[in-house]
Amino acid sequence: MEIKDSKILVTGGTGLVGSAIKKISPTYDYNFIFVSSKDADLTKYNETYSLFKKHEPDFVIHLAACVGGLFKNMNQKVDMFEINNLINFNVVKISHEFKVKKLICCLSTCIFPDKTTYPIDETMLHNGPPHSSNDAYAYAKRMLEVHCKAYQEQYNDNFICVIPTNIYGPHDNYSLDDGHVIPALTHRCYLAKQNNKPFRVLGSGTPLRQFIYSEDLAQLFMWTLENYNGKESLILSVGEKNEVPIKKVATEIAKSFNYEHMMEFDSSFSDGQYKKTADNTKLMNFIKEYNFIDINEGIKRSVEWFKDNFDSCRK
Ligand code: NAP
Ligand code: GFB
């Protein structure tokens, strides 16, 4: 697909994933437009329309969402459902109105059915209800996929979805309450060490997760834009063998602060899903091989970024 000099609108352009795409964007000769809610509140149809009218993008990488870890998903289900449905409805509908050549939308491996066989692949998305901890977010995301498919079938629009696993890296949201596990524990370990207090990990530490470093995901987004011509959704994840327990992740974070000796687990907090093992075979059949950044190295880089940007980062 000829994309050179085309305009690529990246919604959610200031977030974890958007920032990673921005970092690698100079190595591509396309005209990237990274936007945030300061440019347009995508929950508002008129603001979304004006944004598209201003830029008339050829391609859209749609990342903007109300995003958070397990505890934000459990405690803010109305926002998760309403904000994400509004954003997604507007972006998909207006992408059609402006004849966007390719729209790539973003789901998540946490929206798959809770009661399922493993590993989970792209065909299993609607085979049962999602885990109760994030059902509001999950159903909003599933409707995004349904919406894209409807435009494919009725108008032959090239609107597709990718399904990343848990993402981490620089520019994450390091909020103690709303953040995902790696940024939240990074922040919590920093404070524990500063105050010489125990490093409290929430839950039992036994659940399993696959983590993809944001800059690896950014490369896969660009590969998808340029090379993936399928209509079906595509899981973007490290392999099953890279699945790790939360305890391992907490330990690596504590090591990065040289603070392993003070770690403790608080099982009064939810574990969320025990696992959501995703199958990346479809992706690997296309790209043959990819050296994902190792979790230990990725955590080191994320912790260093947090320390270097403590004053300005989201927390
Ligand atoms: P993030 O860091 O929280 O960034 C969210 C982005 O969306 C920000 O740029 C934010 O801009 C923008 N946004 C939020 N509400 C908006 C609104 N009303 N109007 C316009 N822009 C708005 O999120 P992320 O982690 O990069 O996630 C990117 C995508 O990946 C999302 O679709 C998410 O569902 C998906 N995903 C994330 C993970 C993960 O582990 N992080 C895993 C799987 C899938 P402002 O800062 O101006 O609000
Ligand atoms: O990244 P996370 O919040 O989301 O990870 P999920 C939650 C796991 O980490 C649970 C443990 O097993 C928690 O018990 N954990 C330990 C912590 N300490 C902490 C902590 O301080 N903060 C957090 N957040 N977790 C999310 C979905 O599920 O996956 C979202 O709810 C999103 O919708 C995301 O899609 C990718 O992996 O459990």
PDB file of all heavy atoms in Angstrom, residues 68-71 73 108 110 133-134 137 165-167 176 179-182 184-185 188 201-204 207 209 211 246 269-273 276, ligand 2:
ATOM      1  N   GLY A  68      -7.078   1.985  31.821  1.00  0.00           N
ATOM      2  CA  GLY A  68      -6.574   1.843  33.189  1.00  0.00           C
ATOM      3  C   GLY A  68      -6.352   0.393  33.550  1.00  0.00           C
ATOM      4  O   GLY A  68      -6.692  -0.512  32.793  1.00  0.00           O
ATOM      5  N   GLY A  69      -5.749   0.194  34.699  1.00  0.00           N
ATOM      6  CA  GLY A  69      -5.473  -1.157  35.156  1.00  0.00           C
ATOM      7  C   GLY A  69      -6.701  -1.792  35.769  1.00  0.00           C
ATOM      8  O   GLY A  69      -7.824  -1.277  35.671  1.00  0.00           O
ATOM      9  N   LEU A  70      -6.446  -2.924  36.421  1.00  0.00           N
ATOM     10  CA  LEU A  70      -7.510  -3.731  37.005  1.00  0.00           C
ATOM     11  C   LEU A  70      -8.412  -2.922  37.917  1.00  0.00           C
ATOM     12  O   LEU A  70      -9.641  -2.986  37.817  1.00  0.00           O
ATOM     13  CB  LEU A  70      -6.872  -4.886  37.791  1.00  0.00           C
ATOM     14  CG  LEU A  70      -7.791  -5.711  38.695  1.00  0.00           C
ATOM     15  CD1 LEU A  70      -8.842  -6.421  37.862  1.00  0.00           C
ATOM     16  CD2 LEU A  70      -6.966  -6.717  39.492  1.00  0.00           C
ATOM     17  N   PHE A  71      -7.834  -2.128  38.810  1.00  0.00           N
ATOM     18  CA  PHE A  71      -8.640  -1.459  39.839  1.00  0.00           C
ATOM     19  C   PHE A  71      -9.428  -0.286  39.282  1.00  0.00           C
ATOM     20  O   PHE A  71     -10.574  -0.049  39.665  1.00  0.00           O
ATOM     21  CB  PHE A  71      -7.752  -1.086  41.037  1.00  0.00           C
ATOM     22  CG  PHE A  71      -7.054  -2.284  41.612  1.00  0.00           C
ATOM     23  CD1 PHE A  71      -5.694  -2.500  41.392  1.00  0.00           C
ATOM     24  CD2 PHE A  71      -7.781  -3.250  42.304  1.00  0.00           C
ATOM     25  CE1 PHE A  71      -5.073  -3.651  41.893  1.00  0.00           C
ATOM     26  CE2 PHE A  71      -7.167  -4.403  42.796  1.00  0.00           C
ATOM     27  CZ  PHE A  71      -5.814  -4.601  42.581  1.00  0.00           C
ATOM     28  N   ASN A  73     -10.593  -0.324  36.267  1.00  0.00           N
ATOM     29  CA  ASN A  73     -11.677  -1.024  35.556  1.00  0.00           C
ATOM     30  C   ASN A  73     -12.757  -1.512  36.495  1.00  0.00           C
ATOM     31  O   ASN A  73     -13.940  -1.534  36.125  1.00  0.00           O
ATOM     32  CB  ASN A  73     -11.097  -2.193  34.759  1.00  0.00           C
ATOM     33  CG  ASN A  73     -10.711  -1.756  33.365  1.00  0.00           C
ATOM     34  OD1 ASN A  73     -11.554  -1.714  32.483  1.00  0.00           O
ATOM     35  ND2 ASN A  73      -9.466  -1.383  33.174  1.00  0.00           N
ATOM     36  N   SER A 108      -7.921  -5.257  23.163  1.00  0.00           N
ATOM     37  CA  SER A 108      -7.006  -5.670  24.232  1.00  0.00           C
ATOM     38  C   SER A 108      -7.233  -7.150  24.521  1.00  0.00           C
ATOM     39  O   SER A 108      -8.374  -7.631  24.419  1.00  0.00           O
ATOM     40  CB  SER A 108      -7.289  -4.858  25.504  1.00  0.00           C
ATOM     41  OG  SER A 108      -6.603  -5.421  26.609  1.00  0.00           O
ATOM     42  N   CYS A 110      -7.439  -8.474  27.217  1.00  0.00           N
ATOM     43  CA  CYS A 110      -8.231  -8.674  28.435  1.00  0.00           C
ATOM     44  C   CYS A 110      -9.723  -8.729  28.130  1.00  0.00           C
ATOM     45  O   CYS A 110     -10.536  -8.971  29.013  1.00  0.00           O
ATOM     46  CB  CYS A 110      -7.970  -7.567  29.435  1.00  0.00           C
ATOM     47  SG  CYS A 110      -8.712  -6.044  28.923  1.00  0.00           S
ATOM     48  N   SER A 133     -14.247  -8.236  36.164  1.00  0.00           N
ATOM     49  CA  SER A 133     -13.476  -7.073  36.649  1.00  0.00           C
ATOM     50  C   SER A 133     -13.422  -5.952  35.618  1.00  0.00           C
ATOM     51  O   SER A 133     -13.308  -4.784  35.960  1.00  0.00           O
ATOM     52  CB  SER A 133     -12.044  -7.500  37.015  1.00  0.00           C
ATOM     53  OG  SER A 133     -11.363  -7.965  35.849  1.00  0.00           O
ATOM     54  N   ASN A 134     -13.506  -6.315  34.316  1.00  0.00           N
ATOM     55  CA  ASN A 134     -13.390  -5.247  33.311  1.00  0.00           C
ATOM     56  C   ASN A 134     -14.402  -5.444  32.195  1.00  0.00           C
ATOM     57  O   ASN A 134     -14.140  -5.137  31.029  1.00  0.00           O
ATOM     58  CB  ASN A 134     -11.966  -5.200  32.765  1.00  0.00           C
ATOM     59  CG  ASN A 134     -11.645  -6.372  31.859  1.00  0.00           C
ATOM     60  OD1 ASN A 134     -12.134  -7.472  32.049  1.00  0.00           O
ATOM     61  ND2 ASN A 134     -10.854  -6.125  30.846  1.00  0.00           N
ATOM     62  N   TYR A 137     -15.438  -2.153  30.089  1.00  0.00           N
ATOM     63  CA  TYR A 137     -14.394  -1.810  29.103  1.00  0.00           C
ATOM     64  C   TYR A 137     -14.384  -2.846  27.978  1.00  0.00           C
ATOM     65  O   TYR A 137     -14.328  -2.504  26.791  1.00  0.00           O
ATOM     66  CB  TYR A 137     -13.054  -1.795  29.819  1.00  0.00           C
ATOM     67  CG  TYR A 137     -11.807  -1.665  28.979  1.00  0.00           C
ATOM     68  CD1 TYR A 137     -11.319  -0.417  28.595  1.00  0.00           C
ATOM     69  CD2 TYR A 137     -11.081  -2.797  28.607  1.00  0.00           C
ATOM     70  CE1 TYR A 137     -10.143  -0.304  27.862  1.00  0.00           C
ATOM     71  CE2 TYR A 137      -9.907  -2.688  27.857  1.00  0.00           C
ATOM     72  CZ  TYR A 137      -9.441  -1.448  27.497  1.00  0.00           C
ATOM     73  OH  TYR A 137      -8.274  -1.349  26.763  1.00  0.00           O
ATOM     74  N   THR A 165      -1.571  -7.259  23.889  1.00  0.00           N
ATOM     75  CA  THR A 165      -1.587  -7.764  25.257  1.00  0.00           C
ATOM     76  C   THR A 165      -1.216  -6.595  26.176  1.00  0.00           C
ATOM     77  O   THR A 165      -1.177  -5.451  25.739  1.00  0.00           O
ATOM     78  CB  THR A 165      -0.587  -8.926  25.407  1.00  0.00           C
ATOM     79  OG1 THR A 165      -0.756  -9.523  26.698  1.00  0.00           O
ATOM     80  CG2 THR A 165       0.859  -8.480  25.257  1.00  0.00           C
ATOM     81  N   ASN A 166      -0.945  -6.866  27.448  1.00  0.00           N
ATOM     82  CA  ASN A 166      -0.575  -5.786  28.384  1.00  0.00           C
ATOM     83  C   ASN A 166       0.657  -5.042  27.889  1.00  0.00           C
ATOM     84  O   ASN A 166       1.657  -5.659  27.545  1.00  0.00           O
ATOM     85  CB  ASN A 166      -0.281  -6.360  29.769  1.00  0.00           C
ATOM     86  CG  ASN A 166      -1.528  -6.903  30.435  1.00  0.00           C
ATOM     87  OD1 ASN A 166      -2.242  -7.727  29.839  1.00  0.00           O
ATOM     88  ND2 ASN A 166      -1.809  -6.441  31.646  1.00  0.00           N
ATOM     89  N   ILE A 167       0.583  -3.731  27.853  1.00  0.00           N
ATOM     90  CA  ILE A 167       1.648  -2.894  27.305  1.00  0.00           C
ATOM     91  C   ILE A 167       2.312  -2.133  28.450  1.00  0.00           C
ATOM     92  O   ILE A 167       1.649  -1.769  29.428  1.00  0.00           O
ATOM     93  CB  ILE A 167       1.083  -1.876  26.296  1.00  0.00           C
ATOM     94  CG1 ILE A 167       0.142  -2.553  25.293  1.00  0.00           C
ATOM     95  CG2 ILE A 167       2.201  -1.138  25.559  1.00  0.00           C
ATOM     96  CD1 ILE A 167      -0.787  -1.583  24.573  1.00  0.00           C
ATOM     97  N   LEU A 176      -0.961   5.291  41.168  1.00  0.00           N
ATOM     98  CA  LEU A 176      -1.014   4.179  42.120  1.00  0.00           C
ATOM     99  C   LEU A 176      -2.361   3.445  42.048  1.00  0.00           C
ATOM    100  O   LEU A 176      -2.428   2.238  42.189  1.00  0.00           O
ATOM    101  CB  LEU A 176      -0.791   4.691  43.547  1.00  0.00           C
ATOM    102  CG  LEU A 176       0.596   5.271  43.852  1.00  0.00           C
ATOM    103  CD1 LEU A 176       0.596   5.937  45.222  1.00  0.00           C
ATOM    104  CD2 LEU A 176       1.661   4.181  43.772  1.00  0.00           C
ATOM    105  N   GLY A 179      -3.307   3.041  37.500  1.00  0.00           N
ATOM    106  CA  GLY A 179      -2.326   2.523  36.546  1.00  0.00           C
ATOM    107  C   GLY A 179      -2.375   1.012  36.385  1.00  0.00           C
ATOM    108  O   GLY A 179      -2.945   0.290  37.216  1.00  0.00           O
ATOM    109  N   HIS A 180      -1.745   0.538  35.309  1.00  0.00           N
ATOM    110  CA  HIS A 180      -1.555  -0.901  35.133  1.00  0.00           C
ATOM    111  C   HIS A 180      -0.472  -1.370  36.106  1.00  0.00           C
ATOM    112  O   HIS A 180       0.213  -0.554  36.730  1.00  0.00           O
ATOM    113  CB  HIS A 180      -1.166  -1.202  33.682  1.00  0.00           C
ATOM    114  CG  HIS A 180      -2.295  -1.046  32.721  1.00  0.00           C
ATOM    115  ND1 HIS A 180      -2.502   0.097  31.985  1.00  0.00           N
ATOM    116  CD2 HIS A 180      -3.314  -1.887  32.404  1.00  0.00           C
ATOM    117  CE1 HIS A 180      -3.587  -0.048  31.235  1.00  0.00           C
ATOM    118  NE2 HIS A 180      -4.098  -1.241  31.476  1.00  0.00           N
ATOM    119  N   VAL A 181      -0.297  -2.680  36.182  1.00  0.00           N
ATOM    120  CA  VAL A 181       0.534  -3.223  37.256  1.00  0.00           C
ATOM    121  C   VAL A 181       1.973  -2.729  37.221  1.00  0.00           C
ATOM    122  O   VAL A 181       2.521  -2.316  38.266  1.00  0.00           O
ATOM    123  CB  VAL A 181       0.491  -4.781  37.271  1.00  0.00           C
ATOM    124  CG1 VAL A 181       0.936  -5.396  35.952  1.00  0.00           C
ATOM    125  CG2 VAL A 181       1.320  -5.334  38.401  1.00  0.00           C
ATOM    126  N   ILE A 182       2.615  -2.704  36.041  1.00  0.00           N
ATOM    127  CA  ILE A 182       4.039  -2.323  36.036  1.00  0.00           C
ATOM    128  C   ILE A 182       4.238  -0.866  36.436  1.00  0.00           C
ATOM    129  O   ILE A 182       5.030  -0.574  37.356  1.00  0.00           O
ATOM    130  CB  ILE A 182       4.691  -2.675  34.674  1.00  0.00           C
ATOM    131  CG1 ILE A 182       4.839  -4.200  34.558  1.00  0.00           C
ATOM    132  CG2 ILE A 182       6.046  -1.983  34.515  1.00  0.00           C
ATOM    133  CD1 ILE A 182       5.414  -4.693  33.246  1.00  0.00           C
ATOM    134  N   ALA A 184       2.179   1.115  38.128  1.00  0.00           N
ATOM    135  CA  ALA A 184       1.689   1.333  39.506  1.00  0.00           C
ATOM    136  C   ALA A 184       2.700   0.800  40.521  1.00  0.00           C
ATOM    137  O   ALA A 184       3.035   1.475  41.503  1.00  0.00           O
ATOM    138  CB  ALA A 184       0.333   0.658  39.686  1.00  0.00           C
ATOM    139  N   LEU A 185       3.253  -0.396  40.260  1.00  0.00           N
ATOM    140  CA  LEU A 185       4.235  -0.956  41.205  1.00  0.00           C
ATOM    141  C   LEU A 185       5.549  -0.199  41.161  1.00  0.00           C
ATOM    142  O   LEU A 185       6.245  -0.081  42.170  1.00  0.00           O
ATOM    143  CB  LEU A 185       4.469  -2.437  40.911  1.00  0.00           C
ATOM    144  CG  LEU A 185       3.358  -3.388  41.335  1.00  0.00           C
ATOM    145  CD1 LEU A 185       3.760  -4.839  41.043  1.00  0.00           C
ATOM    146  CD2 LEU A 185       3.020  -3.238  42.821  1.00  0.00           C
ATOM    147  N   ARG A 188       4.919   2.690  43.341  1.00  0.00           N
ATOM    148  CA  ARG A 188       4.782   2.279  44.745  1.00  0.00           C
ATOM    149  C   ARG A 188       6.138   1.874  45.339  1.00  0.00           C
ATOM    150  O   ARG A 188       6.458   2.158  46.479  1.00  0.00           O
ATOM    151  CB  ARG A 188       3.776   1.136  44.895  1.00  0.00           C
ATOM    152  CG  ARG A 188       3.481   0.819  46.351  1.00  0.00           C
ATOM    153  CD  ARG A 188       2.282  -0.058  46.629  1.00  0.00           C
ATOM    154  NE  ARG A 188       1.065   0.510  46.100  1.00  0.00           N
ATOM    155  CZ  ARG A 188       0.348  -0.063  45.140  1.00  0.00           C
ATOM    156  NH1 ARG A 188       0.741  -1.206  44.620  1.00  0.00           N
ATOM    157  NH2 ARG A 188      -0.739   0.497  44.697  1.00  0.00           N
ATOM    158  N   VAL A 201       2.789  -5.281  47.233  1.00  0.00           N
ATOM    159  CA  VAL A 201       2.272  -5.720  45.930  1.00  0.00           C
ATOM    160  C   VAL A 201       0.828  -6.161  46.151  1.00  0.00           C
ATOM    161  O   VAL A 201       0.555  -6.953  47.076  1.00  0.00           O
ATOM    162  CB  VAL A 201       3.122  -6.885  45.388  1.00  0.00           C
ATOM    163  CG1 VAL A 201       2.611  -7.357  44.031  1.00  0.00           C
ATOM    164  CG2 VAL A 201       4.592  -6.463  45.296  1.00  0.00           C
ATOM    165  N   LEU A 202      -0.113  -5.698  45.345  1.00  0.00           N
ATOM    166  CA  LEU A 202      -1.521  -6.026  45.571  1.00  0.00           C
ATOM    167  C   LEU A 202      -1.829  -7.414  45.016  1.00  0.00           C
ATOM    168  O   LEU A 202      -1.265  -7.832  44.005  1.00  0.00           O
ATOM    169  CB  LEU A 202      -2.430  -4.974  44.908  1.00  0.00           C
ATOM    170  CG  LEU A 202      -2.111  -3.515  45.268  1.00  0.00           C
ATOM    171  CD1 LEU A 202      -3.178  -2.586  44.691  1.00  0.00           C
ATOM    172  CD2 LEU A 202      -1.975  -3.329  46.765  1.00  0.00           C
ATOM    173  N   GLY A 203      -2.734  -8.142  45.704  1.00  0.00           N
ATOM    174  CA  GLY A 203      -3.070  -9.490  45.259  1.00  0.00           C
ATOM    175  C   GLY A 203      -2.026 -10.503  45.695  1.00  0.00           C
ATOM    176  O   GLY A 203      -1.098 -10.196  46.448  1.00  0.00           O
ATOM    177  N   SER A 204      -2.167 -11.722  45.156  1.00  0.00           N
ATOM    178  CA  SER A 204      -1.294 -12.839  45.573  1.00  0.00           C
ATOM    179  C   SER A 204       0.023 -12.880  44.801  1.00  0.00           C
ATOM    180  O   SER A 204       0.969 -13.565  45.198  1.00  0.00           O
ATOM    181  CB  SER A 204      -2.042 -14.162  45.343  1.00  0.00           C
ATOM    182  OG  SER A 204      -2.192 -14.368  43.925  1.00  0.00           O
ATOM    183  N   PRO A 207      -1.136 -14.483  39.474  1.00  0.00           N
ATOM    184  CA  PRO A 207      -1.671 -14.416  38.091  1.00  0.00           C
ATOM    185  C   PRO A 207      -0.564 -14.287  37.056  1.00  0.00           C
ATOM    186  O   PRO A 207       0.532 -13.806  37.366  1.00  0.00           O
ATOM    187  CB  PRO A 207      -2.574 -13.183  38.117  1.00  0.00           C
ATOM    188  CG  PRO A 207      -3.032 -13.103  39.533  1.00  0.00           C
ATOM    189  CD  PRO A 207      -1.827 -13.513  40.337  1.00  0.00           C
ATOM    190  N   ARG A 209       0.702 -13.033  33.121  1.00  0.00           N
ATOM    191  CA  ARG A 209       0.475 -12.030  32.099  1.00  0.00           C
ATOM    192  C   ARG A 209       1.567 -12.099  31.037  1.00  0.00           C
ATOM    193  O   ARG A 209       2.700 -12.506  31.318  1.00  0.00           O
ATOM    194  CB  ARG A 209       0.480 -10.616  32.695  1.00  0.00           C
ATOM    195  CG  ARG A 209      -0.663 -10.333  33.673  1.00  0.00           C
ATOM    196  CD  ARG A 209      -1.998 -10.242  32.989  1.00  0.00           C
ATOM    197  NE  ARG A 209      -3.082  -9.859  33.891  1.00  0.00           N
ATOM    198  CZ  ARG A 209      -3.801 -10.702  34.618  1.00  0.00           C
ATOM    199  NH1 ARG A 209      -3.511 -12.012  34.567  1.00  0.00           N
ATOM    200  NH2 ARG A 209      -4.779 -10.274  35.401  1.00  0.00           N
ATOM    201  N   PHE A 211       3.555  -9.434  28.665  1.00  0.00           N
ATOM    202  CA  PHE A 211       3.775  -7.992  28.575  1.00  0.00           C
ATOM    203  C   PHE A 211       4.552  -7.651  27.308  1.00  0.00           C
ATOM    204  O   PHE A 211       5.574  -8.290  27.012  1.00  0.00           O
ATOM    205  CB  PHE A 211       4.575  -7.503  29.795  1.00  0.00           C
ATOM    206  CG  PHE A 211       3.831  -7.598  31.094  1.00  0.00           C
ATOM    207  CD1 PHE A 211       4.031  -8.673  31.947  1.00  0.00           C
ATOM    208  CD2 PHE A 211       2.919  -6.619  31.459  1.00  0.00           C
ATOM    209  CE1 PHE A 211       3.324  -8.780  33.152  1.00  0.00           C
ATOM    210  CE2 PHE A 211       2.219  -6.702  32.673  1.00  0.00           C
ATOM    211  CZ  PHE A 211       2.421  -7.790  33.506  1.00  0.00           C
ATOM    212  N   ILE A 246       2.894 -12.273  38.101  1.00  0.00           N
ATOM    213  CA  ILE A 246       3.003 -10.910  38.628  1.00  0.00           C
ATOM    214  C   ILE A 246       4.151 -10.821  39.630  1.00  0.00           C
ATOM    215  O   ILE A 246       4.881  -9.827  39.686  1.00  0.00           O
ATOM    216  CB  ILE A 246       1.662 -10.489  39.278  1.00  0.00           C
ATOM    217  CG1 ILE A 246       0.561 -10.411  38.209  1.00  0.00           C
ATOM    218  CG2 ILE A 246       1.805  -9.176  40.045  1.00  0.00           C
ATOM    219  CD1 ILE A 246       0.766  -9.398  37.119  1.00  0.00           C
ATOM    220  N   PHE A 269      -6.430  -7.702  48.211  1.00  0.00           N
ATOM    221  CA  PHE A 269      -6.751  -7.051  46.934  1.00  0.00           C
ATOM    222  C   PHE A 269      -6.971  -8.108  45.846  1.00  0.00           C
ATOM    223  O   PHE A 269      -6.376  -9.187  45.895  1.00  0.00           O
ATOM    224  CB  PHE A 269      -5.621  -6.102  46.512  1.00  0.00           C
ATOM    225  CG  PHE A 269      -5.614  -4.809  47.271  1.00  0.00           C
ATOM    226  CD1 PHE A 269      -4.987  -4.714  48.507  1.00  0.00           C
ATOM    227  CD2 PHE A 269      -6.261  -3.690  46.774  1.00  0.00           C
ATOM    228  CE1 PHE A 269      -4.982  -3.532  49.223  1.00  0.00           C
ATOM    229  CE2 PHE A 269      -6.262  -2.493  47.477  1.00  0.00           C
ATOM    230  CZ  PHE A 269      -5.615  -2.423  48.701  1.00  0.00           C
ATOM    231  N   SER A 270      -7.804  -7.757  44.863  1.00  0.00           N
ATOM    232  CA  SER A 270      -8.148  -8.697  43.803  1.00  0.00           C
ATOM    233  C   SER A 270      -6.955  -9.066  42.922  1.00  0.00           C
ATOM    234  O   SER A 270      -6.080  -8.258  42.666  1.00  0.00           O
ATOM    235  CB  SER A 270      -9.250  -8.082  42.919  1.00  0.00           C
ATOM    236  OG  SER A 270      -9.427  -8.872  41.754  1.00  0.00           O
ATOM    237  N   ASP A 271      -6.967 -10.316  42.442  1.00  0.00           N
ATOM    238  CA  ASP A 271      -5.988 -10.773  41.455  1.00  0.00           C
ATOM    239  C   ASP A 271      -6.454 -10.498  40.033  1.00  0.00           C
ATOM    240  O   ASP A 271      -5.709 -10.628  39.090  1.00  0.00           O
ATOM    241  CB  ASP A 271      -5.764 -12.285  41.603  1.00  0.00           C
ATOM    242  CG  ASP A 271      -4.715 -12.614  42.678  1.00  0.00           C
ATOM    243  OD1 ASP A 271      -3.948 -11.720  43.061  1.00  0.00           O
ATOM    244  OD2 ASP A 271      -4.676 -13.786  43.096  1.00  0.00           O
ATOM    245  N   GLY A 272      -7.776 -10.194  39.905  1.00  0.00           N
ATOM    246  CA  GLY A 272      -8.330 -10.060  38.540  1.00  0.00           C
ATOM    247  C   GLY A 272      -8.304 -11.395  37.820  1.00  0.00           C
ATOM    248  O   GLY A 272      -8.380 -12.450  38.432  1.00  0.00           O
ATOM    249  N   GLN A 273      -8.144 -11.349  36.500  1.00  0.00           N
ATOM    250  CA  GLN A 273      -8.080 -12.600  35.738  1.00  0.00           C
ATOM    251  C   GLN A 273      -6.827 -13.362  36.146  1.00  0.00           C
ATOM    252  O   GLN A 273      -5.773 -12.750  36.338  1.00  0.00           O
ATOM    253  CB  GLN A 273      -7.986 -12.280  34.240  1.00  0.00           C
ATOM    254  CG  GLN A 273      -9.281 -11.814  33.593  1.00  0.00           C
ATOM    255  CD  GLN A 273      -9.045 -11.424  32.140  1.00  0.00           C
ATOM    256  OE1 GLN A 273      -8.587 -10.332  31.873  1.00  0.00           O
ATOM    257  NE2 GLN A 273      -9.350 -12.333  31.220  1.00  0.00           N
ATOM    258  N   LYS A 276      -4.760 -14.852  30.716  1.00  0.00           N
ATOM    259  CA  LYS A 276      -5.456 -14.557  29.445  1.00  0.00           C
ATOM    260  C   LYS A 276      -4.473 -14.827  28.308  1.00  0.00           C
ATOM    261  O   LYS A 276      -4.259 -13.986  27.445  1.00  0.00           O
ATOM    262  CB  LYS A 276      -5.980 -13.128  29.418  1.00  0.00           C
ATOM    263  CG  LYS A 276      -5.005 -12.091  29.975  1.00  0.00           C
ATOM    264  CD  LYS A 276      -5.615 -10.713  30.062  1.00  0.00           C
ATOM    265  CE  LYS A 276      -4.730  -9.750  30.817  1.00  0.00           C
ATOM    266  NZ  LYS A 276      -5.259  -8.378  30.850  1.00  0.00           N
TER     267      LYS A 276
HETATM  268  O1  GFB B   2      -2.092  -4.362  34.597  1.00  0.00           O
HETATM  269  P1  GFB B   2      -3.199  -4.810  35.479  1.00  0.00           P
HETATM  270  O2  GFB B   2      -3.786  -3.808  36.414  1.00  0.00           O
HETATM  271  O3  GFB B   2      -4.407  -5.296  34.630  1.00  0.00           O
HETATM  272  O4  GFB B   2      -2.651  -6.080  36.309  1.00  0.00           O
HETATM  273  P2  GFB B   2      -4.922  -6.723  34.112  1.00  0.00           P
HETATM  274  C1  GFB B   2      -3.400  -6.539  37.383  1.00  0.00           C
HETATM  275  C2  GFB B   2      -2.669  -7.689  38.056  1.00  0.00           C
HETATM  276  O5  GFB B   2      -1.513  -7.173  38.750  1.00  0.00           O
HETATM  277  C3  GFB B   2      -3.575  -8.308  39.110  1.00  0.00           C
HETATM  278  C4  GFB B   2      -1.708  -7.330  40.169  1.00  0.00           C
HETATM  279  O6  GFB B   2      -3.226  -9.656  39.289  1.00  0.00           O
HETATM  280  C5  GFB B   2      -3.217  -7.487  40.341  1.00  0.00           C
HETATM  281  O7  GFB B   2      -3.503  -8.194  41.560  1.00  0.00           O
HETATM  282  N1  GFB B   2      -1.191  -6.142  40.868  1.00  0.00           N
HETATM  283  C6  GFB B   2      -0.318  -6.165  41.899  1.00  0.00           C
HETATM  284  C7  GFB B   2      -1.495  -4.866  40.605  1.00  0.00           C
HETATM  285  N2  GFB B   2      -0.078  -4.924  42.349  1.00  0.00           N
HETATM  286  C8  GFB B   2      -0.803  -4.087  41.548  1.00  0.00           C
HETATM  287  C9  GFB B   2      -0.966  -2.671  41.514  1.00  0.00           C
HETATM  288  O8  GFB B   2      -0.411  -1.922  42.328  1.00  0.00           O
HETATM  289  N3  GFB B   2      -1.774  -2.163  40.539  1.00  0.00           N
HETATM  290  C10 GFB B   2      -2.399  -2.972  39.619  1.00  0.00           C
HETATM  291  N4  GFB B   2      -3.145  -2.396  38.657  1.00  0.00           N
HETATM  292  N5  GFB B   2      -2.288  -4.338  39.626  1.00  0.00           N
HETATM  293  C11 GFB B   2      -6.236  -5.113  32.586  1.00  0.00           C
HETATM  294  C12 GFB B   2      -7.652  -4.735  32.236  1.00  0.00           C
HETATM  295  O9  GFB B   2      -6.243  -6.289  33.324  1.00  0.00           O
HETATM  296  O10 GFB B   2      -5.490  -5.347  31.409  1.00  0.00           O
HETATM  297  C13 GFB B   2      -7.653  -3.505  31.409  1.00  0.00           C
HETATM  298  O11 GFB B   2      -8.418  -4.535  33.426  1.00  0.00           O
HETATM  299  C14 GFB B   2      -6.557  -3.453  30.387  1.00  0.00           C
HETATM  300  O12 GFB B   2      -8.909  -3.407  30.796  1.00  0.00           O
HETATM  301  C15 GFB B   2      -5.272  -4.146  30.772  1.00  0.00           C
HETATM  302  O13 GFB B   2      -7.010  -3.959  29.171  1.00  0.00           O
HETATM  303  C16 GFB B   2      -4.375  -4.397  29.584  1.00  0.00           C
HETATM  304  O14 GFB B   2      -3.945  -7.290  33.174  1.00  0.00           O
HETATM  305  O15 GFB B   2      -5.377  -7.545  35.258  1.00  0.00           O
END
